[in-house]
Amino acid sequence: MPYRVMTVCTGNICRSPMAESVLRRRFAEAGLDGEVVVDSSGISDEEDGNPVDRRARSVLADAGYDVPEHRAHQVTADEIASRDLLLAMTARHARRLRTQAPDEASAGRVAMYRSFDPAAPAVAGPGAVADESALDIADPWYGDRDDFVEALAQIEAAADGIVEHVRRALATRATHP
């Protein structure tokens, strides 16, 4: 049974498909592409059925990433329950996922995507900020190409931490099935 990761943003056409693309490549480079499945969704149905935003597609392609061929969709409670790790792009997305989760175990698998970036502000422990929104990946939708480049940089900065987290989870799963 593969480890299932879902990235989540608002409409599932910008940040979450960008993160899906980055993580797929990073898991493949780590030799985990057969053990980890990555997909994405949105908390809203406003973009339902739409492809990846053209600006996100362009920035991903220019950075050498494969652009996922998918249609945007709204996350379901069943999807939340079936994923091992749900990576929210903002605190608002995380709250929505936790609220929509069918049980506490599912809600506990929700994490802020940028919490895996070693340079991001800490939201737990001594000297930490109290609000998860300090880890929000800015929404590039209303911006220009530079905003999409910035979102991709934030996504890339956390990707290796996510790979290591999943690698540890897989090792634990192997020793404690």
Side-chain angles (χ1 to χ4, degrees):
M1 179 86 167
Y3 191 93
R4 301 202 59 190
V5 176
M6 178 178 274
T7 60
V8 182
C9 68
T10 303
N12 189 217
I13 61 168
C14 296
R15 292 168 288 183
S16 61
M18 290 172 75
E20 176 184 350
S21 181
V22 169
L23 289 177
R24 282 183 177 174
R25 182 160 94 187
R26 297 288 176 92
F27 285 123
E29 290 170 350
L32 298 173
D33 59 340
E35 296 178 61
V36 180
V37 174
V38 182
D39 61 357
S40 65
S41 67
I43 62 166
S44 167
D45 67 354
E46 67 191 80
E47 297 290 346
D48 193 47
N50 289 333
V52 175
D53 180 275
R54 63 177 169 68
R55 298 162 296 175
R57 182 179 296 282
S58 173
V59 167
L60 283 169
D62 288 352
Y65 290 100
D66 293 330
V67 180
E69 291 298 328
H70 88 126
R71 296 292 176 187
H73 79 280
Q74 185 176 23
V75 68
T76 67
D78 287 343
E79 288 174 325
I80 295 169
S82 69
R83 299 312 188 270
D84 297 292
L85 180 62
L86 294 118
L87 297 167
M89 298 295 125
T90 71
R92 180 174 151 257
H93 302 143
R95 283 190 301 274
R96 180 60 125 3
L97 289 167
R98 291 175 185 133
T99 300
Q100 192 177 346
D103 52 51
E104 285 185 39
S106 298
R109 293 190 295 269
V110 174
M112 293 291 292
Y113 188 98
R114 278 194 68 214
S115 67
F116 295 93
D117 176 354
V123 293
V129 297
D131 186 359
E132 276 186 324
S133 64
L135 297 174
D136 285 358
I137 293 177
D139 188 353
W141 172 255
Y142 295 104
D144 58 17
R145 181 177 177 79
D146 290 342
D147 296 292
F148 282 84
V149 170
E150 178 184 348
L152 180 60
Q154 291 176 329
I155 289 165
E156 289 176 320
D160 289 339
I162 293 166
V163 170
E164 286 311 308
H165 172 83
V166 170
R167 188 187 303 280
R168 287 190 302 274
L170 288 168
T172 299
R173 183 189 274 182
T175 59
H176 300 93

